[in-house]
Amino acid sequence: MKLATWNVNSLNVRLPHVLKWLEANPVDVLCVQETKLTDDKFPAAAIEAAGYQVVYTGQKTYNGVAILSRLPITDVVKNNPRYEDAQQRILAATIDGVRVVCAYVPNGQSVDSEKYGYKLGWLAAFRDWLHEEAQQHPQLAVLGDYNIAPEDRDVHDPVAWAGQVLVSDPERAALLRLNELGLKDAFRLFEQADKSFSWWDYRQLGFRLNKGLRIDHILLSPALAARCSACVIDREPRKWEQPSDHAPVIATID
């Protein structure tokens, strides 16, 4: 089974990219973030025509998540049932015995903003709910845009970014608490090239100069991590015309 995650930064704009990428990379499951579409505008027919079932939950202009699957989707849950939130950021489903969680973690804006406090509170509630999910589902995969670079090696310039949102110590500690549930960062199960990132700012030639961050992650329960044979970042779509600022991340489960 191949599992992938991709923040497309507007599915309305990036639908042709998603379909093109799936044709070349027919993963079994793709978790999508930042669809930025209300449910009545979601392009389900185009995705189904490409051979994928799809479930989604969205809102206008912001957020929105979806799970695309070549396999049957069951037991769908929208949002965190333990945390009241109008923002559409979480979608969970069971696919071929694997509990798949698609998550779009809040950005936080800046460490001195109210949105940063919201992010930390959201992550604490997310951790509590995932603890329950992990107990019920030994095969658990949590994919998404976490908006956190776990370590300095996941940041193009750790000194310049020190203390800022996406790399601050409280955010990293919150991510570590997810790892303490037994969840493993699939990307770090393997040797990887230095300066491997999944997001690059559109400004200041961010992608061309590889001034990026690794903030898109696939976390796997021990049962899945033991069967994971590869995890890669596909930089190719970031080179396309009008790209998302994120690249897909793919994990292979044997």
Side-chain angles (χ1 to χ4, degrees), residues 38-128:
T38 53
D39 288 354
D40 61 309
K41 302 289 187 182
F42 193 90
I47 290 169
E48 290 166 357
Y52 284 82
Q53 298 184 27
V54 61
V55 291
Y56 46 90
T57 183
Q59 62 187 88
K60 186 177 181 180
T61 308
Y62 301 103
N63 308 319
V65 287
I67 298 175
L68 289 61
S69 174
R70 298 170 65 191
L71 304 164
I73 300 173
T74 62
D75 303 325
V76 177
V77 172
K78 297 180 179 182
N79 302 316
N80 181 348
R82 303 287 181 264
Y83 183 77
E84 186 174 348
D85 187 10
Q87 299 189 26
Q88 302 303 301
R89 294 183 173 275
I90 299 175
L91 196 58
T94 299
I95 301 169
D96 196 27
V98 176
R99 189 62 170 170
V100 174
V101 177
C102 176
Y104 176 48
V105 175
N107 176 278
Q109 192 175 57
S110 64
V111 295
D112 57 354
S113 72
E114 291 183 1
K115 291 182 179 180
Y116 183 76
Y118 163 68
K119 179 178 189 174
L120 295 180
W122 190 98
L123 282 163
F126 188 50
R127 188 264 180 208
D128 291 344

Side-chain angles (χ1 to χ4, degrees), residues 122-206:
W122 190 98
L123 282 163
F126 188 50
R127 188 264 180 208
D128 291 344
W129 175 64
L130 284 181
H131 178 64
E132 298 176 15
E133 290 291 294
Q135 290 181 317
Q136 296 175 29
H137 304 283
Q139 297 192 94
L140 175 65
V142 189
L143 304 90
D145 175 0
Y146 285 73
N147 270 312
I148 302 170
E151 303 176 67
D152 283 354
R153 59 177 169 169
D154 301 308
V155 182
H156 73 91
D157 187 342
V159 174
W161 278 85
Q164 293 190 48
V165 70
L166 308 185
V167 304
S168 71
D169 288 342
E171 291 168 280
R172 286 177 165 176
L175 183 58
L176 184 61
R177 283 191 285 273
L178 299 185
N179 298 142
E180 290 169 353
L181 297 176
L183 297 172
K184 308 293 185 182
D185 182 346
F187 192 74
R188 291 301 178 200
L189 295 175
F190 309 95
E191 290 292 327
Q192 304 287 359
D194 290 341
K195 303 292 184 180
S196 293
F197 307 127
S198 65
W199 171 86
W200 302 262
D201 199 316
Y202 288 125
R203 299 167 295 181
Q204 299 178 336
L205 302 176

